[in-house]
Amino acid sequence: MKTFICFFWGFVCLVGCAPDPVAVELNFPSERAFLYADQARLLVYPVDPETNLDSCPQLLSQLRAGVDGDPVWDSGNEGVCTFRAGQVGFDELPSGPLAFVVDVTSTVETNGSFTSHLFMGCRIAEVYPDASSIRIELFPSVDFPTTDPPVSSVSAKCN
Amino acid sequence: MQLTNKGRFGAWLLAIFFFACPVHAQDRAANVQGSPLEQAEAAYLNVDFEGAQRLAQQALQSGGHTPPQLLRIYELLAICTAALGEAEVSRDYFILMLSLDPEAELDSSVPPRLRGSYFEARGALSARPGLISVEVGIDRGESALRVALSDPRSMAAQVRIHGRVEGAVRYSDFESEARAELDAPIPGANDADRVEYFIEVLDQYGNQLAMEGSPFQPRVVGRSGVLTTEERVESNDDTIIWVISAATAVLVAGAVTTGILVDQSTRASIQSAVSFGSR
């Protein structure tokens, strides 16, 4: 029993001392835009601070072409509501500048296609304990569907 | 004749000087005379290697030295013979010295050129340790202490065994030539739970090569657990090992915890969020 109590308090201390996670915020142009989105994928790439701080265009271009490159972390395709609920995370990020690349896809018919890179965004930032949130502006990469979104509100979509 | 105050003070000083000087002279004479070992030390400090060797040899043969004194005698003999160019003799003395205490270090004042024999002796002993040891048990049938003597270098000439039933006042003394096994009769040992003892292992001159216990801190052997000298050492070693292990475990646990805390404090994690529109 004493051992259990010791381990319990040790665990509490360790967990209690862990810093809060840094929020990676996927910033959609509007709520309506969010309603078209189905899945998002967050990829994190290491960036050489000497030569590669402007690597976002290249990374977005290669991702659009279907080339993943060599990310240090890849969330895989997750529902946008999962992202919104804060259920996508990672705790083994290396130190130094990183490129956070987001690719949002939709299964809503767009220009005759059901899966498309609806929004994309990239941001180079450094993650460290108690850093402020990393906001990734998402820009439409294709024309929006002409049809109405399948649901009328964010809460209706995610609840 | 009348003395002034100043005159009286001078007379006192003269008297003190007159009586004190012979005392100092006697002290100095006593120091110079001293025991052969003290004289050998004095000669060694005067870099008189021949004199130191002769006096150390004399000290050895006069007998009656404790193990630390005997160790010093062998050290002096070894250093002096090394200084006089007798390397092999020096090595043999160092072997005798290390047989008394395998961990014995050389006096730091010994110059490097005289240390070769010491290292040679250490090498020889590491291949064939020569430490004297005794194991003790009770032979109740004979009402005696049974002593097994290990003397790999045949240095021991005599063994003195002093034993008493636990609680008794006087020791029964027993002296014998050194043999691999000895029985020392102890009155009452046949019925006793425990027997207290101390043992002296002596060389041919009566110097103590080894001493197990002492009159005031005797070893104990008996029903509560017969501990041989080696087992006693092992038992102490076990305790030390446990203490060291526990301390190491605490240190490692502390280091790991600190490492985790530091790691957690330096390694950041991320968590997703969603927002809408530009701020």
Side-chain angles (χ1 to χ4, degrees):
Chain A
M1 188 62 185
K2 281 182 180 174
T3 310
F4 172 76
I5 290 170
C6 286
F7 275 110
F8 173 77
W9 283 113
F11 177 76
V12 168
C13 284
L14 288 178
V15 171
C17 292
D20 292 332
V22 176
V24 176
E25 191 179 310
L26 276 56
N27 182 243
F28 286 81
S30 64
E31 285 193 26
R32 181 181 168 83
F34 179 78
L35 300 180
Y36 287 103
D38 279 322
Q39 291 187 314
R41 185 182 176 197
L42 172 62
L43 299 101
V44 182
Y45 296 88
V47 171
D48 183 350
E50 299 287 327
T51 59
N52 221 8
L53 284 176
D54 56 352
S55 57
C56 269
Q58 180 198 344
L59 289 170
L60 288 170
S61 173
Q62 74 181 29
L63 193 62
R64 201 176 292 121
V67 179
D68 293 347
D70 193 15
V72 292
W73 184 63
D74 181 354
S75 71
N77 283 314
E78 293 284 349
V80 287
C81 289
T82 308
F83 272 88
R84 182 172 175 267
Q87 292 172 354
V88 179
F90 187 59
D91 58 4
E92 293 291 331
L93 287 177
S95 58
L98 299 165
F100 294 83
V101 183
V102 175
D103 181 18
V104 179
T105 56
S106 171
T107 53
V108 177
E109 183 181 358
T110 306
N111 295 336
S113 172
F114 283 95
T115 301
S116 59
H117 301 290
L118 194 59
F119 301 100
M120 297 189 88
C122 179
R123 168 89 184 269
I124 292 190
E126 198 165 359
V127 178
Y128 50 88
D130 303 322
S132 55
S133 62
I134 298 165
R135 191 179 195 211
I136 304 170
E137 305 273 355
L138 297 178
F139 296 97
S141 56
V142 294
D143 292 335
F144 273 119
T146 52
T147 56
D148 287 335
V151 288
S152 58
S153 68
V154 173
S155 58
K157 182 180 178 70
C158 291
N159 294 331
Chain B
M1 187 174 64
Q2 292 288 321
L3 286 173
T4 61
N5 281 344
K6 200 180 277 184
R8 279 200 202 100
F9 180 70
W12 274 111
L13 276 181
L14 272 175
I16 290 167
F17 185 74
F18 178 78
F19 286 109
C21 280
V23 172
H24 287 300
Q26 281 171 6
D27 280 352
R28 280 198 299 273
N31 282 341
V32 170
Q33 284 173 1
S35 68
L37 178 55
E38 286 170 341
Q39 292 180 56
E41 292 280 13
Y44 175 65
L45 286 177
N46 287 329
V47 204
D48 174 11
F49 292 120
E50 284 184 8
Q53 184 195 5
R54 179 176 48 77
L55 289 162
Q57 190 70 42
Q58 194 178 322
L60 176 69
Q61 291 173 356
S62 66
H65 294 98
T66 61
Q69 289 173 325
L70 184 59
L71 189 140
R72 180 59 180 162
I73 289 171
Y74 282 137
E75 185 179 14
L76 285 173
L77 285 168
I79 295 169
C80 292
T81 47
L84 296 171
E86 301 173 45
E88 284 188 16
V89 181
S90 170
R91 185 202 58 200
D92 290 344
Y93 279 129
F94 274 130
I95 287 176
L96 292 172
M97 178 184 101
L98 292 168
S99 297
L100 299 180
D101 179 5
E103 304 300 321
E105 296 286 341
L106 263 189
D107 185 341
S108 59
S109 66
V110 177
R113 70 183 179 86
L114 303 183
R115 292 173 176 265
S117 307
Y118 170 76
F119 294 121
E120 202 179 333
R122 285 208 85 126
L125 270 181
S126 64
R128 192 165 70 89
L131 195 62
I132 292 173
S133 64
V134 291
E135 290 183 16
V136 180
I138 300 179
D139 183 349
R140 296 186 192 280
E142 299 292 328
S143 186
L145 274 182
R146 172 153 291 181
V147 177
L149 172 67
S150 172
D151 178 22
R153 300 200 173 275
S154 302
M155 295 167 71
Q158 275 185 311
V159 178
R160 286 185 193 144
I161 303 166
H162 314 269
R164 66 184 178 192
V165 171
E166 190 180 48
V169 177
R170 290 186 178 279
Y171 287 98
S172 298
D173 302 322
F174 175 82
E175 188 165 343
S176 166
E177 281 183 11
R179 293 198 302 271
E181 280 202 356
L182 295 161
D183 274 351
I186 308 292
N190 52 338
D191 291 329
D193 282 337
R194 283 180 290 276
V195 172
E196 297 175 334
Y197 67 90
F198 67 97
I199 297 174
E200 301 168 77
V201 182
L202 308 172
D203 68 5
Q204 57 181 318
Y205 305 114
N207 298 300
Q208 290 175 341
L209 293 167
M211 182 85 174
E212 283 291 323
S214 71
F216 304 107
Q217 287 185 313
R219 303 278 197 238
V220 179
V221 63
R223 287 204 173 96
S224 60
V226 179
L227 287 184
T228 64
T229 51
E230 284 181 1
E231 284 169 342
R232 190 178 300 279
V233 170
E234 281 173 10
S235 171
N236 289 339
D237 286 351
D238 285 350
T239 308
I240 292 167
I241 287 169
W242 276 110
V243 169
I244 290 172
S245 301
T248 307
V250 169
L251 283 175
V252 168
V256 169
T257 307
T258 307
I260 290 171
L261 290 176
V262 169
D263 185 57
Q264 283 197 343
S265 64
T266 55
R267 190 183 290 273
S269 57
I270 58 171
Q271 186 178 25
S272 64
V274 167
S275 62
F276 306 112
S278 54
R279 289 176 184 169

